Amino acid sequence: MNVRVCKCRFKIKIVMVGAMATMLLVSVLSFFAAPSDSIYIVEPGPKFPPTRGEVWPKPQQEKKSDYFYLFRPDVIQIEIVNKKCNLLNETIERYAEIWQRQYMIVKRYNNISTHVESHDSEKYLGVLKRLTINMSAPCEYYPHFDMDESYNLTVGANSQMTSLSVWGMMRAFESWTHLLYFTDDSKEIRINKTEIHDFPQYKHRGLLLDTGRHYLSLNTIQKTLDAMSINKMNVLHWHIVDDQSFPYKSEILPSLSEKGAFHPSMVYTKKDIKMIINYARDRAIRVIPEIDVPGHTRSWGAAYPMLLTKCYEKNKVIAYGPLNPIRSTTYKILGELIQEVQDLFPDRYYHVGGDEVDLSCWQSNPELKEYMKQHNLTANGVHAMFMKEVIGRVKKTTVPIVWQEVYDEKVPISKDTLIQVWKYKWVDEMIKILNSGHKVVFSSSWYLDYLNFNWNSFYGDDPRLMVYQKKKNARLENIVGGEACMWGEMADDTNVISRTWPRTSAVAERLWSGLDYKHPPKDPVTTHVRQRIEEHTCRMLRRGIAAEPPNGPGFCVNI
Amino acid sequence: MNVRVCKCRFKIKIVMVGAMATMLLVSVLSFFAAPSDSIYIVEPGPKFPPTRGEVWPKPQQEKKSDYFYLFRPDVIQIEIVNKKCNLLNETIERYAEIWQRQYMIVKRYNNISTHVESHDSEKYLGVLKRLTINMSAPCEYYPHFDMDESYNLTVGANSQMTSLSVWGMMRAFESWTHLLYFTDDSKEIRINKTEIHDFPQYKHRGLLLDTGRHYLSLNTIQKTLDAMSINKMNVLHWHIVDDQSFPYKSEILPSLSEKGAFHPSMVYTKKDIKMIINYARDRAIRVIPEIDVPGHTRSWGAAYPMLLTKCYEKNKVIAYGPLNPIRSTTYKILGELIQEVQDLFPDRYYHVGGDEVDLSCWQSNPELKEYMKQHNLTANGVHAMFMKEVIGRVKKTTVPIVWQEVYDEKVPISKDTLIQVWKYKWVDEMIKILNSGHKVVFSSSWYLDYLNFNWNSFYGDDPRLMVYQKKKNARLENIVGGEACMWGEMADDTNVISRTWPRTSAVAERLWSGLDYKHPPKDPVTTHVRQRIEEHTCRMLRRGIAAEPPNGPGFCVNI
């Protein structure tokens, strides 16, 4: 940080969030001026010079030599020796193109076709000639929760990638691409002799995108998927609609987006969504939709006001609140919508929402008050009833994902339901969930809309480690993963990519590589990690992702 | 803000800035969970719907009617009735092109060439046919501190713009462009009958860009200048080099950038700089260079280590510190460099830097210790001596700008020198400076690298108002302006535009429009201002500036 910043402020801010919210946001920022005689040691050049050819996220096992090959995409022969399929071919073509684009940088720096500098080095092993692809099971069509992403990779005399699945193959190709690095003069691409045995620690490694608060273009979503695949993430949690807008263009209920979208041009059609799902599939990424209910549904009311609960204050309607939980129309329309959405999204998992329900609105409504009295229900009980109804309307084979409130309010849910933990006191919450035999997806400390939190504050938060430190015998394997959440209030096409990356790369490495929770590092953010994320940021830039600087002063070349 | 964010965190962070810095950054963020029965009233649609045709920054006097004309760039005739010059012609052409691009949006929405909807309105006054340009003094070639930016503008039966200068004309064209707005169906551009009499409250309305911590592309600098002109800002303070890199490509001292730039491609040549200066001139923006000395010069040492002071700890050299103030080589090289830079930048003002000097390094150096003893000088005294020498080396006609330390250390400076106030306790500092008859440029609370501060925290900070509230009879006119500062540690081409805009628009409006310091508004950030900055953000997007959302959920069309 610039020292200037730190000298010039002392502010206390108290901000009221929401018209009637009682929430206080107290942000006390105090800066003590440095005595004028302190030494500011600043070295010239980048704060953390990037590494070369380091894979991100860190592989489970990796043996690297400083002997190296030259990598030339026009020379290397790729041979498939076992199972084949279109998806594998397309993957190979996609990476060949990525390599080709990198090679064009090399060509820019070379006027002659042969270059011999590397030949002089005693570590030089020649030009890499051959790469064998050994996939041992037939391709699957869509990625899924239990897909096998493990792979082995050898760079050497007999370079090869082996994996059971095409998903693992995609991860192998990505790692291979990370191993490539440019020489100082940018005239060659090298790859070191390497052995990798790799697999993810967590099955569910997600990013939430919110298209309800600002519309995001298809191009931005595709860029996000590109970046996710560079970071070996495998779940796009698409929080598609919210209070502010309803961009999902339903074919059976078209007025929802006709009246609820920000603008007729700001919708996602069936065709758009299929394109996104396939684009994600090609990168081993699942797309899980969330149609959040019964809260966060204000935009539904533009087309169907009768779906919403009227909130009262002193016998007067003051606002529209959550979906009306006691009208059959609500469930009918919701059921139809869920069915349509589930027909479109192939994933077995479906996010039913269930967070931040304005119970006070339900409590204020005379009709609902009467209902609660008759049925001897609290407002929480009504929420539970509602969520039970919703979960009953998803496909029989579907596994629901819910925000933690649904669990907290004791809605009957199956053991395989994923409970997304996002609130404060997350460790206690996770322990409670694990104790009851349920499964956790962690998000609490990975909120990207909170700009004060840099990648390094995300990096150490391994949810299994956090639980283990408080309770040694918890069923840690039931923490199946986590998600970074990019809430969209202040993010649109102009800034969502640079806010998300490389900060989410920290989450990606945590979920893929894990931390040794029995022997955790004192500070996981080492100088080496800082240098690695510098390289990784430059790599994303080279691949067309506008990832912002992670650590401070520096630069990227060959982009 | 998303309520989620506010529920999930309680963190105290203590960060040490700099290896030996004693500075503490304590950031206490506390969030109290909302009781689950509070009402979250959220209306569908944008949080603050944009205004239509509101000029930003707010003109001094404005009379608007709801009678309107249609604006068609292919119909309107522009006639110059008084002084003429190339720069005026180029300005007209530039805005004609901007209007033409907006009109292409309208054409996209129209399949027929005539459209009559507006004709039905009783407020409709016809298609605007003629605009008269009345400039009463000959053109100047470069913008300058005392340039006249005032203008009058009439939209009506006899539409005209009048100004003394071409700079005022540029401001008038910009305001005219802001008055244009699209109809709901995007099929027409309208402009309301309007009278504007306008001038800036502050002469110096600047933005600091830092190209020493990250290299910024020429394209990014041009985009920044575009955005500045949209916001009627008139000074680009180019903090061109710093500790980390030396991208200024000197012709007389080429090794400075050859060895001190991040990369051979990351330099600004004479040609690049001239292009930027002319691009800025065409927008009534001055470009003032800063070659910061004697601190923030570590990158000079890559080529000339002997220019830097060796810092000692227990008789051992531990680092390189500020420029060496007692070697004649320092002043010789610095003098040559300043001369070259001043030959390149036409502005009469030149920023000599002078901030954050590591005096403890000077105090640790045996040679300097001896010097101070012999000359009976403190380290502060040496800094004062150094700055006096530097100021003696700028052109005779030059007016220096200095960081506040130079004033604080009692360097003899002329009354017209601008003192840039950036530290904490800025009101007391400004009063002190005004008392001694000196001039102020204010920056303390306008640091853009501090992400917690949104545009609305910048918006109320009128430096004259702040001083007036503490001292009624201060010479407020000697506060000549201010600068938003975009320090580059964490900003590069990927995020610098969206971080700078629209946050800097708040500073731009404050400096152009001012606040009535005798009757200041209780809260200057009204709903109307929020709506105006929404329109203004969409306007910038339409003009190719990736300005981020200012207020929360919303959207822009016609971009």
Side-chain angles (χ1 to χ4, degrees):
Chain A
M1 285 297 287
N2 189 320
V3 179
R4 291 180 201 289
V5 179
C6 308
K7 282 189 187 169
C8 63
R9 298 194 169 278
F10 184 85
K11 284 210 181 185
I12 299 184
K13 282 196 164 189
I14 300 185
V15 182
M16 292 298 294
V17 180
M20 299 180 65
T22 55
M23 181 172 299
L24 284 175
L25 162 56
V26 181
S27 164
V28 180
L29 304 157
S30 53
F31 300 96
F32 303 96
S36 63
D37 61 349
S38 70
I39 290 185
Y40 310 113
I41 293 184
V42 178
E43 287 304 303
K47 194 163 177 188
F48 294 98
T51 50
R52 290 165 172 218
E54 285 284 322
V55 179
W56 188 287
K58 192 82 181 160
Q60 304 297 338
Q61 292 172 33
E62 197 180 11
K63 225 168 68 188
K64 282 182 88 168
S65 146
D66 52 0
Y67 283 82
F68 66 88
Y69 295 88
L70 288 193
F71 179 77
R72 291 182 50 180
D74 53 339
V75 168
I76 196 152
Q77 296 284 330
I78 298 177
E79 195 186 355
I80 303 177
V81 296
N82 199 337
K83 295 280 187 287
K84 300 180 185 192
C85 74
N86 280 344
L87 198 45
L88 182 60
N89 288 340
E90 284 161 21
T91 302
I92 295 171
E93 276 167 33
R94 188 157 56 82
Y95 279 95
E97 213 178 291
I98 290 165
W99 299 338
Q100 195 55 48
R101 274 202 295 275
Q102 298 194 14
Y103 196 60
M104 280 166 66
I105 295 168
V106 164
K107 283 188 185 164
R108 262 189 355 225
Y109 283 89
N110 282 284
N111 289 326
I112 46 166
S113 59
T114 54
H115 182 72
V116 292
E117 185 195 296
S118 287
H119 299 220
D120 304 335
S121 163
E122 60 175 23
K123 309 277 188 190
Y124 175 55
L125 296 172
V127 178
L128 211 58
K129 297 268 173 14
R130 205 158 156 278
L131 167 62
T132 305
I133 307 298
N134 187 333
M135 181 171 76
S136 50
C139 281
E140 295 167 322
Y141 196 66
Y142 280 113
H144 54 94
F145 183 77
D146 286 307
M147 65 180 159
D148 189 332
E149 294 171 273
S150 63
Y151 67 92
N152 294 316
L153 184 162
T154 305
V155 183
N158 294 305
S159 292
Q160 64 170 335
M161 297 178 189
T162 61
S163 176
L164 194 77
S165 79
V166 70
W167 319 119
M169 278 300 170
M170 291 179 187
R171 304 307 177 216
F173 271 96
E174 190 55 45
S175 290
W176 181 279
T177 308
H178 291 204
L179 291 170
L180 306 175
Y181 62 95
F182 290 86
T183 51
D184 273 343
D185 60 5
S186 302
K187 287 194 166 187
E188 298 175 336
I189 295 174
R190 290 183 183 176
I191 186 166
N192 286 18
K193 194 164 156 23
T194 307
E195 293 271 353
I196 289 175
H197 171 62
D198 201 12
F199 56 88
Q201 290 291 345
Y202 290 94
K203 284 185 177 181
H204 183 114
R205 304 181 308 281
L207 170 65
L208 177 149
L209 272 192
D210 167 10
T211 55
R213 274 64 176 256
H214 282 97
Y215 182 80
L216 297 176
S217 68
L218 296 178
N219 180 53
T220 294
I221 299 173
Q222 286 175 296
K223 286 273 178 204
T224 302
L225 291 166
D226 286 340
M228 287 175 70
S229 82
I230 297 175
N231 288 275
K232 296 192 175 76
M233 295 182 87
N234 65 3
V235 175
L236 176 66
H237 172 170
W238 193 349
H239 183 89
I240 193 163
V241 299
D242 209 293
D243 282 322
Q244 289 82 359
S245 78
F246 199 99
Y248 171 72
K249 195 174 164 76
S250 166
E251 294 188 350
I252 51 164
L253 300 160
S255 59
L256 278 169
S257 65
E258 275 163 23
K259 299 198 174 162
F262 281 134
H263 189 261
S265 67
M266 294 177 174
V267 292
Y268 303 105
T269 65
K270 197 169 165 176
K271 195 179 140 208
D272 295 336
I273 291 168
K274 282 193 171 170
M275 186 276 284
I276 293 296
I277 290 168
N278 289 337
Y279 196 88
R281 187 264 325 270
D282 292 348
R283 287 153 182 79
I285 299 168
R286 305 154 60 201
V287 185
I288 298 178
E290 177 190 1
I291 306 282
D292 198 357
V293 289
H296 293 278
T297 52
R298 183 60 187 82
S299 64
W300 304 42
Y304 298 105
M306 74 288 204
L307 291 182
L308 303 180
T309 310
K310 285 179 181 156
C311 321
Y312 284 74
E313 202 175 83
K314 294 178 188 156
N315 299 324
K316 271 175 68 180
V317 177
I318 54 156
Y320 283 105
L323 291 179
N324 189 315
I326 57 168
R327 292 226 181 129
S328 58
T329 330
T330 308
Y331 298 105
K332 185 178 164 290
I333 287 199
L334 185 54
E336 288 171 8
L337 190 67
I338 290 175
Q339 198 187 330
E340 184 188 49
V341 169
Q342 288 211 292
D343 284 346
L344 195 48
F345 288 83
D347 209 88
R348 252 189 86 204
Y349 286 68
Y350 173 84
H351 204 305
V352 295
D355 61 326
E356 296 187 321
V357 184
D358 188 349
L359 301 181
S360 72
C361 174
W362 280 353
Q363 283 160 337
S364 77
N365 182 293
E367 203 187 347
L368 258 147
K369 274 200 270 197
E370 183 58 32
Y371 180 91
M372 289 190 268
K373 206 169 133 191
Q374 278 180 13
H375 294 77
N376 197 23
L377 277 172
T378 61
N380 278 296
V382 174
H383 184 206
M385 172 194 88
F386 184 94
M387 294 314 297
K388 194 180 155 208
E389 285 291 330
V390 176
I391 291 169
R393 272 163 177 81
V394 300
K395 283 189 194 165
K396 288 280 162 279
T397 52
T398 294
V399 185
I401 312 179
V402 298
W403 293 110
Q404 71 175 75
E405 286 95 322
V406 177
Y407 171 84
D408 295 343
E409 282 161 8
K410 304 192 177 29
V411 179
I413 45 177
S414 62
K415 294 290 182 201
D416 54 354
T417 302
L418 305 187
I419 296 151
Q420 190 160 6
V421 172
W422 66 274
K423 289 194 184 190
Y424 178 52
K425 291 188 179 170
W426 55 79
V427 177
D428 292 341
E429 177 78 6
M430 287 195 283
I431 290 172
K432 208 168 69 179
I433 295 170
L434 296 178
N435 281 349
S436 65
H438 285 89
K439 293 196 165 118
V440 169
V441 167
F442 175 75
S443 285
S444 295
S445 66
W446 289 336
Y447 267 41
L448 298 162
D449 49 334
Y450 207 79
L451 299 186
N452 256 26
F453 294 97
N454 208 332
W455 71 269
N456 41 328
S457 79
F458 299 151
Y459 190 75
D461 290 349
D462 184 327
R464 286 182 189 151
L465 169 63
M466 293 189 284
V467 166
Y468 183 80
Q469 285 175 334
K470 197 154 183 181
K471 186 168 191 285
K472 294 279 172 288
N473 62 343
R475 268 178 273 182
L476 296 181
E477 69 283 4
N478 277 353
I479 305 179
V480 300
E483 291 181 4
C485 296
M486 182 69 259
W487 294 107
E489 281 83 351
M490 302 301 285
D492 66 5
D493 284 334
T494 65
N495 60 358
V496 72
I497 297 289
S498 64
R499 285 195 177 178
T500 306
W501 309 102
R503 294 200 296 155
T504 300
S505 300
V507 174
E509 176 148 303
R510 189 49 52 242
L511 289 171
W512 179 279
S513 315
L515 283 174
D516 180 353
Y517 48 85
K518 293 195 177 162
H519 310 94
K522 214 169 157 185
D523 180 7
V525 184
T526 60
T527 299
H528 185 59
V529 171
R530 287 187 181 275
Q531 293 187 295
R532 285 178 55 240
I533 204 168
E534 285 286 335
E535 178 184 22
H536 189 54
T537 299
C538 292
R539 172 185 292 140
M540 286 194 274
L541 278 172
R542 190 176 304 131
R543 303 266 290 269
I545 311 301
E548 65 182 22
N551 293 311
F555 67 103
C556 296
V557 286
N558 308 319
I559 54 173
Chain B
M1 285 298 288
N2 189 320
V3 180
R4 290 179 202 288
V5 177
C6 308
K7 281 190 188 168
C8 62
R9 296 195 171 278
F10 186 84
K11 282 211 181 185
I12 300 185
K13 278 197 165 186
I14 301 186
V15 181
M16 291 297 294
V17 180
M20 300 180 64
T22 54
M23 181 173 299
L24 283 176
L25 163 58
V26 180
S27 166
V28 180
L29 303 158
S30 53
F31 301 96
F32 303 96
S36 63
D37 60 348
S38 69
I39 290 185
Y40 311 114
I41 292 185
V42 178
E43 287 304 304
K47 193 163 177 189
F48 294 97
T51 51
R52 290 167 172 216
E54 284 285 322
V55 180
W56 188 287
K58 192 82 179 159
Q60 303 297 338
Q61 292 173 31
E62 197 180 11
K63 225 167 70 189
K64 284 182 88 169
S65 147
D66 53 358
Y67 283 82
F68 66 88
Y69 296 87
L70 287 192
F71 179 77
R72 290 183 49 180
D74 53 340
V75 168
I76 196 152
Q77 296 285 328
I78 298 178
E79 195 188 355
I80 305 177
V81 295
N82 198 337
K83 296 280 187 289
K84 299 177 186 196
C85 73
N86 280 343
L87 197 45
L88 181 61
N89 288 339
E90 284 162 22
T91 303
I92 294 171
E93 277 167 32
R94 187 156 57 82
Y95 280 95
E97 214 180 290
I98 290 165
W99 299 341
Q100 196 55 49
R101 275 202 296 275
Q102 298 194 14
Y103 196 59
M104 281 166 67
I105 295 167
V106 164
K107 282 189 184 164
R108 262 188 355 226
Y109 283 89
N110 281 284
N111 288 325
I112 47 167
S113 59
T114 54
H115 182 70
V116 292
E117 186 195 296
S118 288
H119 299 219
D120 304 335
S121 163
E122 59 175 25
K123 308 276 185 190
Y124 174 55
L125 296 173
V127 177
L128 211 57
K129 295 269 174 14
R130 205 159 156 279
L131 168 61
T132 304
I133 307 298
N134 187 333
M135 180 172 77
S136 50
C139 281
E140 294 168 319
Y141 196 65
Y142 280 113
H144 55 93
F145 182 77
D146 286 308
M147 65 182 160
D148 189 332
E149 294 172 272
S150 64
Y151 67 92
N152 293 314
L153 185 162
T154 306
V155 183
N158 295 304
S159 292
Q160 64 170 336
M161 297 179 189
T162 61
S163 175
L164 194 77
S165 79
V166 71
W167 319 121
M169 278 301 170
M170 291 178 186
R171 304 308 177 217
F173 271 97
E174 190 56 45
S175 289
W176 181 280
T177 309
H178 292 204
L179 290 169
L180 306 174
Y181 62 95
F182 292 84
T183 51
D184 274 345
D185 61 5
S186 303
K187 287 194 168 188
E188 297 175 336
I189 295 174
R190 290 183 184 177
I191 185 166
N192 286 17
K193 195 164 156 19
T194 307
E195 293 272 352
I196 289 176
H197 170 63
D198 201 11
F199 56 89
Q201 290 291 345
Y202 290 93
K203 285 185 175 179
H204 183 115
R205 306 181 306 281
L207 170 64
L208 178 149
L209 273 192
D210 168 10
T211 55
R213 275 63 176 257
H214 281 97
Y215 182 80
L216 298 175
S217 69
L218 296 177
N219 181 53
T220 294
I221 299 174
Q222 285 176 295
K223 286 273 179 205
T224 303
L225 291 166
D226 285 341
M228 288 175 69
S229 82
I230 298 174
N231 287 276
K232 296 193 175 74
M233 296 182 87
N234 65 4
V235 175
L236 176 66
H237 172 171
W238 192 350
H239 184 88
I240 193 164
V241 297
D242 209 293
D243 283 322
Q244 289 82 0
S245 78
F246 199 100
Y248 170 71
K249 193 175 166 73
S250 166
E251 293 189 350
I252 50 163
L253 301 161
S255 58
L256 278 168
S257 65
E258 275 163 24
K259 299 197 174 162
F262 281 134
H263 189 262
S265 68
M266 292 176 174
V267 292
Y268 303 105
T269 65
K270 198 169 164 177
K271 196 179 140 207
D272 295 338
I273 291 169
K274 282 192 171 172
M275 185 276 282
I276 292 297
I277 290 168
N278 289 336
Y279 196 90
R281 187 265 324 272
D282 292 349
R283 287 151 182 81
I285 299 168
R286 305 154 60 201
V287 185
I288 298 179
E290 178 190 0
I291 306 283
D292 198 358
V293 289
H296 292 280
T297 52
R298 184 60 187 81
S299 63
W300 304 42
Y304 298 105
M306 74 291 203
L307 291 182
L308 303 179
T309 310
K310 284 179 181 155
C311 320
Y312 284 74
E313 203 174 84
K314 294 178 188 158
N315 301 322
K316 272 175 67 181
V317 177
I318 53 155
Y320 283 106
L323 292 180
N324 189 315
I326 58 168
R327 293 225 180 130
S328 57
T329 329
T330 308
Y331 297 106
K332 185 177 163 293
I333 287 197
L334 185 53
E336 287 171 9
L337 190 67
I338 289 175
Q339 197 187 330
E340 185 189 49
V341 170
Q342 287 211 292
D343 285 346
L344 195 48
F345 288 83
D347 209 88
R348 252 188 86 204
Y349 285 69
Y350 174 84
H351 203 305
V352 296
D355 60 326
E356 295 188 321
V357 184
D358 188 348
L359 301 181
S360 72
C361 175
W362 280 352
Q363 284 160 339
S364 77
N365 180 295
E367 205 187 343
L368 258 148
K369 272 200 270 196
E370 184 56 33
Y371 180 91
M372 288 191 269
K373 207 169 131 191
Q374 277 182 13
H375 294 77
N376 196 23
L377 279 171
T378 60
N380 279 297
V382 174
H383 185 207
M385 175 193 85
F386 184 94
M387 294 314 295
K388 193 181 154 208
E389 285 290 330
V390 176
I391 290 170
R393 271 164 178 81
V394 300
K395 282 189 195 165
K396 289 282 162 277
T397 51
T398 295
V399 185
I401 312 178
V402 298
W403 293 109
Q404 71 176 74
E405 285 96 322
V406 177
Y407 172 84
D408 294 343
E409 282 162 6
K410 305 193 178 23
V411 179
I413 45 176
S414 62
K415 294 290 183 203
D416 54 353
T417 302
L418 305 187
I419 297 152
Q420 189 159 8
V421 172
W422 65 273
K423 290 193 183 190
Y424 177 50
K425 291 190 181 169
W426 54 79
V427 178
D428 293 341
E429 178 78 5
M430 287 195 282
I431 290 173
K432 207 168 69 177
I433 294 169
L434 297 178
N435 280 348
S436 65
H438 285 89
K439 293 195 164 118
V440 169
V441 168
F442 174 75
S443 283
S444 296
S445 66
W446 289 336
Y447 267 42
L448 298 163
D449 48 333
Y450 207 79
L451 300 184
N452 256 27
F453 295 97
N454 209 332
W455 71 268
N456 41 327
S457 79
F458 298 152
Y459 190 74
D461 290 348
D462 185 327
R464 286 181 190 152
L465 169 63
M466 293 190 281
V467 166
Y468 183 81
Q469 285 175 333
K470 198 154 181 181
K471 186 168 190 289
K472 293 280 172 287
N473 63 344
R475 268 178 274 183
L476 296 180
E477 70 282 5
N478 276 353
I479 305 178
V480 300
E483 291 181 4
C485 295
M486 183 68 258
W487 294 107
E489 280 83 351
M490 302 301 285
D492 66 6
D493 284 335
T494 64
N495 60 357
V496 72
I497 297 290
S498 63
R499 285 195 177 179
T500 306
W501 308 103
R503 294 199 296 153
T504 300
S505 300
V507 174
E509 176 149 302
R510 189 48 52 244
L511 289 171
W512 178 281
S513 315
L515 283 174
D516 181 353
Y517 48 85
K518 294 195 176 162
H519 311 93
K522 215 167 157 187
D523 179 7
V525 183
T526 60
T527 299
H528 185 59
V529 171
R530 286 187 181 276
Q531 293 186 297
R532 286 178 56 239
I533 204 167
E534 285 285 335
E535 177 184 24
H536 189 55
T537 299
C538 292
R539 173 184 293 141
M540 286 194 275
L541 278 172
R542 188 177 307 131
R543 303 268 288 271
I545 312 300
E548 66 183 20
N551 293 311
F555 67 103
C556 296
V557 285
N558 308 319
I559 55 174

